[in-house]
Amino acid sequence: MRVMKYLAIIWVNVRLFLLLLLAGVLALYLSWLVNAQLGYGYTWLYHLYQTDKHIEKYAPQNRFRDDFEYTSITQHKAMFQSIVDSVHNDGKGLEQIRYQVNGKAHALLHQAEIIHLQDVAALINNIHRLAAVCFVLFLGLFISHRRWQGGDINASNKGILSVALILLGIIIAVFFAYGAKEIFYQMHIWIFPEDHQWFFYYQDSLMSTLMKAPDLFAGIAIQITLLAIVIVAFASLWGKKLLKLN
């Protein structure tokens, strides 16, 4: 009888771990959607990273496109938003993104950049599918956990805090062990097709120059993470009341 109770306690904590893990994934997804609607904060990150000076330095060195250094800040922000709109729409319209200098229009992206951004668009579609699966799993576990709360085995606040700290500890340990940049590059290797270029030098890509990659992505990641933490905090308060935890 005692063994069965211990097994029940272990299962409660495993289920709680999975619930919090899925909640974290869904919070990141919701935060990402919000950031996407706000243009990923490019307007203020542009000034934070002094992207205009970065463009002034590297645009003249570009081996594929001319005169980008003469474009305005307004054009930069509009072109970035056009890229965002395209990758969130199956990659449509990437070839039509242009900048104008002295009345002459230039295509912003060359073929390798277009292929990469189409890969990004495909990834975004897969993220939507993954989020839907995570939501179904979360809902099933949530309902199961709520039913179990009616018995004499339930999860305490201390248990929830412990599980949350374990998850946070794992994430921090991974970042300290490998470094944010290495993780960023490794994720690209795993995610994108092997024969498709995803790394671009500033001298070869106005896309990378415009985004000041990877600095911009670090800023976006921080924004998404901070908002996700807020979402998880509010969701935890709501979930705690719904589950009637001690």
Side-chain angles (χ1 to χ4, degrees):
M1 191 72 176
R2 185 175 295 179
V3 173
M4 293 300 295
K5 185 172 183 178
Y6 285 148
L7 290 174
I9 292 172
I10 291 172
W11 170 233
V12 166
N13 285 293
V14 168
R15 191 169 62 245
L16 181 60
F17 178 86
L18 293 174
L19 264 173
L20 289 177
L21 180 63
L22 289 169
V25 171
L26 291 171
L28 285 170
Y29 175 71
L30 289 175
S31 179
W32 168 64
L33 290 180
V34 171
N35 271 267
Q37 289 298 313
L38 298 175
Y40 293 104
Y42 182 76
T43 294
W44 80 272
L45 289 174
Y46 180 97
H47 299 288
L48 177 67
Y49 289 124
Q50 297 184 315
T51 308
D52 54 339
K53 291 183 173 56
H54 178 76
I55 291 172
E56 287 176 10
K57 178 179 179 180
Y58 286 102
Q61 302 177 36
N62 195 279
R63 292 186 276 263
F64 296 99
R65 298 291 187 264
D66 298 320
D67 298 332
F68 191 73
E69 62 271 23
Y70 302 117
T71 52
S72 66
I73 294 176
T74 301
Q75 284 179 285
H76 301 160
K77 294 176 180 179
M79 283 182 281
F80 178 82
Q81 188 59 49
S82 293
I83 291 175
V84 170
D85 293 340
S86 292
V87 296
H88 281 273
N89 187 32
D90 298 320
K92 296 175 182 176
L94 290 169
E95 299 89 345
Q96 281 73 52
I97 300 176
R98 282 169 164 66
Y99 62 94
Q100 288 200 358
V101 177
N102 296 325
K104 184 179 179 181
H106 305 260
L108 176 69
L109 306 168
H110 56 68
Q111 191 59 30
E113 293 171 303
I114 291 172
I115 291 172
H116 172 62
L117 289 172
Q118 287 172 339
D119 289 338
V120 172
L123 173 63
I124 287 173
N125 290 333
N126 288 331
I127 289 174
H128 290 317
R129 297 185 188 101
L130 177 62
V133 172
C134 287
F135 178 75
V136 172
L137 292 174
F138 175 83
L139 197 58
L141 282 170
F142 187 86
I143 293 172
S144 171
H145 199 73
R146 190 180 182 192
R147 287 177 178 174
W148 272 64
Q149 291 302 108
D152 60 347
I153 303 295
N154 59 34
S156 65
N157 290 336
K158 192 176 293 185
I160 293 175
L161 179 61
S162 298
V163 172
L165 289 175
I166 289 171
L167 284 172
L168 183 61
I170 291 172
I171 294 171
I172 293 174
V174 169
F175 270 90
F176 270 101
Y178 297 99
K181 184 176 288 188
E182 289 300 320
I183 293 173
F184 176 77
Y185 288 153
Q186 188 60 52
M187 291 296 290
H188 278 69
I189 293 171
W190 286 339
I191 292 171
F192 297 117
E194 188 176 349
D195 57 340
H196 288 187
Q197 183 180 354
W198 56 264
F199 180 86
F200 298 89
Y201 290 103
Y202 295 135
Q203 292 85 351
D204 296 328
S205 170
L206 289 183
M207 174 188 70
S208 292
T209 302
L210 179 68
M211 297 181 185
K212 201 182 180 183
D215 294 5
L216 175 69
F217 302 130
I220 292 173
I222 291 171
Q223 290 177 166
I224 291 174
T225 302
L226 290 177
L227 180 56
I229 290 172
V230 173
I231 293 172
V232 168
F234 278 102
S236 296
L237 291 173
W238 172 78
K240 179 181 172 183
K241 291 181 180 178
L242 197 59
L243 290 172
K244 298 178 182 179
L245 298 178
N246 294 331

